[in-house]
């Protein structure tokens, strides 16, 4: 009786809540660390290839097969990580995330060459500010963002379909509308994903397990989600406000 009572005292309840909060913060810290590493690799590779375009990008452009591999391989990496998550180990997932971010850097170098450096930098800072605000909102809000997340996912599917259609139409007006909606969708997804990752972190037990999955693997996939939110938000802003060379 005394033991059962002691485990239900306010002090013990607060202690358990504090431990849950600590594990959640540690999990999110790992997620953001992996994300920043991936973004750093993308930025460095993009800058290096853009600065040496004649030596590095010209051979890619001249070889159609190599060009399409560079452009579409990142999508393959995302699909592989998503659908083979349970069969892949944490080190393999991390390697795929780093390779994916490097390939994205090559793709981004083509995009950056089309815009002035000042507009790229300005859109990056804007995206970082918007991402940070929405990440804090997602972490601190008490409101359940699940419904909003579903709406944002529906919007994302609509954007993908519209982008495919516009691939053939090549309409500047439709492209502008897609980019505007994209900014809304990816800002919303940022808040939703951060809240979802916070709840995942709160579910980690004292042994570091959660839902039968490797916590490190979940952190890597969480980093991938936030990485995608950020780069897509950045690209949408660049298409809206970037000044072309």
């Amino acid at each position: 009786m005394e033991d059962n009572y002691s485990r239900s005292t306010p002090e013990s309840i607060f202690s358990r809540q504090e431990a849950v909060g600590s594990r959640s913060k540690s999990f999110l810290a790992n997620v953001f660390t992996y994300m920043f590493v991936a973004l750093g690799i993308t930025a460095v590779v993009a800058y290096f290839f853009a600065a040496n375009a004649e030596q590095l990008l010209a051979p890619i452009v001249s070889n159609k097969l190599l060009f399409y591999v560079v452009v579409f391989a990142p999508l393959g990496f995302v699909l592989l990580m998503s659908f083979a998550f349970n069969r892949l180990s944490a080190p393999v997932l991390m390697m795929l995330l780093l390779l994916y971010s490097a390939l994205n850097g090559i793709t981004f170098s083509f995009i950056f060459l089309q815009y002035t450096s000042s507009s790229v930098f300005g859109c990056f800072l804007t995206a970082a500010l918007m991402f940070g605000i929405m990440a804090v909102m997602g972490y601190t809000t008490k409101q359940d963002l699940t419904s909003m997340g579903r709406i944002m996912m529906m919007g994302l599917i609509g954007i993908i379909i519209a982008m495919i259609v516009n691939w053939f139409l090549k309409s500047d007006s439709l492209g502008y509308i897609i980019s505007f909606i994209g900014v809304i969708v990816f800002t919303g997804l940022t808040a939703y994903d951060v809240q979802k990752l916070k709840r995942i972190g709160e579910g980690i037990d004292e042994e570091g397990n959660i839902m039968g999955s490797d916590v490190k693997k979940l952190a890597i996939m969480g980093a991938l989600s936030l990485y995608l939110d950020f780069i897509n938000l950045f690209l949408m802003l660049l298409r809206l406000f970037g000044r072309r060379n």
Side-chain angles (χ1 to χ4, degrees):
M1 291 289 292
E2 183 179 347
D3 182 61
N4 289 336
Y5 173 76
S6 65
R7 278 182 284 182
S8 61
T9 59
E11 291 80 4
S12 63
I13 293 173
F14 178 77
S15 178
R16 287 197 296 272
Q17 290 176 338
E18 192 174 48
V20 169
S22 177
R23 289 193 289 270
S24 178
K25 289 177 181 177
S26 177
F27 174 75
L28 278 174
N30 288 334
V31 170
F32 279 101
T33 298
Y34 299 150
M35 173 202 165
F36 290 141
V37 168
L39 283 175
I41 291 174
T42 298
V44 170
V45 171
Y47 176 81
F48 181 74
F49 272 74
N52 300 276
E54 291 186 6
Q55 295 84 5
L56 299 176
L57 295 183
I60 296 175
V61 174
S62 62
N63 187 322
K64 285 189 176 182
L65 176 61
L66 183 58
F67 176 77
Y68 285 118
V69 168
V70 169
V71 171
F72 293 106
L75 176 60
F77 276 89
V78 172
L79 294 176
L80 176 62
M81 293 174 70
S82 300
F83 291 106
F85 171 78
N86 291 325
R87 296 191 294 274
L88 299 175
S89 65
V92 172
L93 276 176
M94 178 59 73
M95 180 189 69
L96 290 173
L97 175 63
L98 299 181
L99 287 173
Y100 166 71
S101 59
L103 279 172
N104 254 353
I106 300 175
T107 305
F108 273 42
S109 64
F110 288 102
I111 298 172
F112 291 166
L113 288 174
Q114 301 177 35
Y115 296 91
T116 63
S117 299
S118 59
S119 64
V120 169
F121 185 68
C123 290
F124 179 85
L125 286 181
T126 304
L129 180 62
M130 294 175 67
F131 181 90
I133 292 172
M134 297 307 291
V136 171
M137 192 196 86
Y139 184 81
T140 57
T141 185
K142 301 300 181 182
Q143 184 177 353
D144 187 356
L145 301 180
T146 303
S147 297
M148 186 187 77
R150 292 196 190 100
I151 295 172
M152 294 299 105
M153 289 302 298
M154 291 172 61
L156 177 58
I157 294 171
I159 288 173
I160 294 172
I161 294 173
M163 290 178 71
I164 294 173
V165 171
N166 202 38
W167 179 276
F168 300 99
L169 296 180
K170 301 185 185 304
S171 168
D172 291 337
S173 298
L174 180 57
Y176 184 87
I177 294 171
I178 292 171
S179 298
F180 181 78
I181 297 174
V183 169
I184 298 173
V185 167
F186 289 110
T187 51
L189 281 176
T190 297
Y192 166 71
D193 284 337
V194 170
Q195 185 181 80
K196 180 178 67 175
L197 290 167
K198 177 187 177 183
R199 290 176 174 175
I200 290 175
E202 290 172 346
I204 299 173
D205 61 24
E206 295 179 1
E207 284 74 37
N209 301 314
I210 178 170
M211 299 182 298
S213 299
D214 187 327
V215 172
K216 187 173 182 180
K217 290 170 62 174
L218 290 172
I220 293 169
M221 294 304 295
L224 175 63
S225 296
L226 294 182
Y227 173 95
L228 290 170
D229 290 340
F230 180 84
I231 64 170
N232 281 293
L233 174 59
F234 167 62
L235 286 175
M236 295 298 172
L237 288 171
L238 191 61
R239 287 168 184 154
L240 282 175
F241 304 112
R243 294 190 302 273
R244 293 184 178 270
N245 288 313

